[in-house]
Amino acid sequence: MSEQTTTDLRETVRARYAAAATAVVEGQVANDCCGSTAVEAEDNFGATRYTGAERDELPTAAVAASLGCGNPIAVAELRAGERVLDLGSGGGIDVLLSARRVGPTGKAYGLDMTDEMLALALANQAKAGATNVEFLKGTIENIPLPANTIDVVISNCVINLSVDKPAVFRETFRVLTPGGRIGVSDVVAEDTLTAEQRAERGSYVGCIAGALSMAEYRAGLTEAGFTDIAITPTHQVADGMHSAIIRATKPTTATPDPSTASTPATDAAACCGVTACCTPAEHATDPTVTVTDAKTAAGCACQD
């Protein structure tokens, strides 16, 4: 994918979700991920993927801004005291639900690149009175959190929208603690569908054209270092395309203690401020920065 195409696609996605947030703020019903159907009238996407009790817990605007294809909270098995990160947190529905599950000793982070969605999420946080919540601005390909600090990563129909899914998997692996896990909802394609056939079934911004096949998804997670990978389709969203629950685990021995990590000068596998270059264990030698930031600071372009 060319740099121009990548930029254009990301901007298209940003504009689409900015418009959805604005519609909620202005009192309109948000549109679903794949088209113009109101969330409440669409079974495949939106707030209807949550139970009535879950929706009743939250501000109306958080529910109205739900554009996902599933309910990651239902499968994440969150526990008190855990630190949770929601990739592409939108209006904050999954972050606020997570915050209630992990309790006052835990914390829920939401990451989104869209100013309008972040503003809506902060307003919903205030209405909900959630104090163990923090919303961050950034992309899911470059997560602005230190390595080994998150217990659970969730996401709701957002990874399929990424223009660099391998980077998402690598960054998710990096921020998870050893033994940490992911529990996400996403759109996946049957392995028999080509990229062209997926594009025929829906647009990129509509959560269809950019979806990985089940085999591609599994391969991407494996390449990043994840184990115990399970991909379970839940319901069809287009011909040969399904919403699915994806689970995986970061091995307990995956990443060394950052306090004992070697520096680039003494570690033969280190390069550009990271160790284990181009392997699933790649991480910044400084655990407070991302891999991308470490390489940028080093002024090195030896790795993508």
Side-chain angles (χ1 to χ4, degrees):
M1 186 180 293
S2 69
E3 182 176 348
Q4 182 61 41
T5 300
T6 297
T7 302
D8 291 345
L9 279 175
R10 180 175 283 135
E11 173 55 25
T12 299
V13 171
R14 189 209 62 77
R16 162 71 180 85
Y17 288 90
T22 300
V24 171
V25 171
E26 293 178 350
Q28 304 172 33
V29 178
N31 292 335
D32 73 346
C33 182
C34 290
S36 59
T37 306
V39 167
E40 295 297 339
E42 173 59 59
D43 290 335
N44 290 334
F45 293 89
T48 55
R49 306 312 305 177
Y50 298 84
T51 66
E54 287 172 326
R55 284 179 278 177
D56 290 343
E57 291 183 35
L58 302 175
T60 302
V63 176
S66 174
L67 305 172
C69 59
N71 180 354
I73 303 302
V75 300
E77 300 176 353
L78 301 180
R79 296 183 285 268
E82 289 189 316
R83 297 156 295 179
V84 185
L85 169 64
D86 181 19
L87 301 180
S89 50
I93 184 170
D94 292 318
V95 176
L96 295 176
L97 287 172
S98 295
R100 289 175 180 254
R101 303 300 186 274
V102 300
T105 60
K107 187 163 184 177
Y109 294 91
L111 174 63
D112 206 282
M113 68 176 181
T114 308
D115 289 330
E116 292 84 352
M117 277 295 184
L118 287 167
L120 178 59
L122 289 170
N124 287 328
Q125 177 188 354
K127 291 176 184 176
T131 58
N132 58 337
V133 165
E134 183 176 349
F135 288 100
L136 307 169
K137 183 176 181 180
T139 67
I140 62 176
E141 298 88 0
N142 190 8
I143 300 172
L145 285 171
N148 309 319
T149 56
I150 297 296
D151 300 303
V152 188
V153 171
I154 64 174
S155 185
N156 196 352
C157 205
V158 172
I159 295 175
N160 70 82
L161 294 170
S162 171
V163 295
D164 188 355
K165 296 173 182 65
V168 176
F169 296 146
R170 290 193 300 269
E171 280 288 273
T172 300
F173 189 89
R174 180 186 66 80
V175 299
L176 279 171
T177 59
R181 63 195 187 276
I182 66 171
V184 309
S185 295
D186 210 0
V187 172
V188 297
E190 294 177 5
D191 292 335
T192 56
L193 293 184
T194 65
E196 292 74 21
Q197 289 171 326
R198 296 170 218 172
E200 292 171 356
R201 286 157 171 76
S203 67
Y204 199 101
V205 73
C207 309
I208 301 296
L212 297 173
S213 71
M214 295 182 193
E216 290 167 344
Y217 218 116
R218 183 180 295 277
L221 290 171
T222 300
E223 175 95 16
F226 286 99
T227 59
D228 303 322
I229 300 166
I231 301 174
T232 308
T234 57
H235 58 279
Q236 183 169 278
V237 298
D239 184 23
M241 311 284 293
H242 305 268
S243 174
I245 295 166
I246 296 98
R247 295 183 177 93
T249 303
K250 178 176 179 175
T252 56
T253 57
T255 305
D257 184 341
S259 65
T260 61
S262 300
T263 64
T266 59
D267 189 336
C271 173
C272 303
V274 300
T275 62
C277 288
C278 291
T279 73
E282 180 183 58
H283 65 281
T285 55
D286 179 354
T288 66
V289 302
T290 66
V291 168
T292 299
D293 287 344
K295 293 176 182 176
T296 300
C300 181
C302 65
Q303 307 294 343
D304 293 331

